[in-house]
Amino acid sequence: MRFERSNTYGPMAILLHWSVALLFLIQIPLGFAMTMLDRKPALQFALFQWHKSLGFLTLALASARLVWSLAHRAHAAPEGVTRLEWRAARTVQFALLAATLLIPLTGWAVASSSPLRIPSYVFDLFVVPGLPIAVSDAAETFWSSLHGWLAYGTALLILLHGGAALFHHLYRRDSVLRNMLPFLADR
């Protein structure tokens, strides 16, 4: 079922957007921190498990976001936004959605391909089994590299996305950012 177009996002789209964004923004420093603690193995192990737990949560919420976006029509372009700008915005939004699925999946592949075979304890509630992929140092290196490059590339896309939203809000003074921030709706 698809709903009619509007110029605003609904509460569920807003909740999923900001939940995934917050999780991603937490994951970046957590990813750096966990790789810098070689001399503190207990803390490093805990940070890796938190990173994996938040990654699985991100994957679940991003999957829900994908399903939600497929079931609901995209909102109409705000007044004053050119066709080229709208296509660029939609392309970046699609790339960000894809990244929020691919980054956790490649992280899962890193854990699954590691010869260390360390289980992924999700919030100490249950263990997520590994993906059925090759286990080797080379496979772990490949997936780890891809995971990192996707994360860095996505961080750049987030800066572009956020910068464009601020440009619209502060310079053009249109509704682009207000559509995603309901507490700004009446300004």
Side-chain angles (χ1 to χ4, degrees):
M1 172 195 290
R2 288 180 101 34
F3 296 98
E4 293 301 312
R5 287 179 183 248
S6 76
N7 285 329
T8 61
Y9 293 95
M12 183 58 70
I14 292 170
L15 177 67
L16 290 170
H17 174 274
W18 289 110
S19 297
V20 171
L22 178 63
L23 284 169
F24 190 84
L25 292 174
I26 291 169
Q27 288 288 71
I28 293 171
L30 185 56
F32 278 120
M34 68 187 200
T35 60
M36 304 286 184
L37 296 169
D38 291 340
R39 295 184 208 159
K40 298 182 180 183
L43 178 57
Q44 186 179 39
F45 179 81
L47 292 179
F48 264 94
Q49 292 303 326
W50 272 102
H51 188 74
K52 289 194 266 184
S53 295
L54 294 174
F56 284 116
L57 180 57
T58 302
L59 180 60
L61 290 173
S63 298
R65 190 165 178 235
L66 174 64
V67 169
W68 186 262
S69 69
L70 292 173
H72 295 79
R73 293 185 64 104
H75 71 282
E79 195 173 311
V81 174
T82 69
R83 181 175 288 215
L84 179 62
E85 289 171 327
W86 188 241
R87 282 189 180 156
R90 299 297 293 159
T91 299
V92 170
Q93 290 166 358
F94 173 80
L96 286 170
L97 179 56
T100 59
L101 294 164
L102 292 173
I103 293 169
L105 285 171
T106 57
W108 191 2
V110 172
S112 301
S113 64
S114 174
L116 296 176
R117 309 301 290 163
I118 298 171
S120 296
Y121 299 102
V122 178
F123 300 111
D124 276 337
L125 298 174
F126 56 91
V127 175
V128 173
L131 294 169
I133 59 175
V135 175
S136 70
D137 288 330
E140 182 183 20
T141 299
F142 169 79
W143 289 112
S144 183
S145 180
L146 182 58
H147 183 67
W149 281 108
L150 284 170
Y152 295 134
T154 302
L156 291 174
L157 281 177
I158 289 170
L159 289 173
L160 178 66
H161 182 64
L166 288 173
F167 171 79
H168 279 274
H169 186 69
L170 298 172
Y171 180 73
R172 285 201 174 160
R173 300 193 183 277
D174 60 22
S175 65
V176 169
L177 183 59
R178 289 189 306 268
N179 289 339
M180 191 50 78
L181 294 173
F183 58 86
L184 292 178
D186 55 356
R187 293 185 181 182

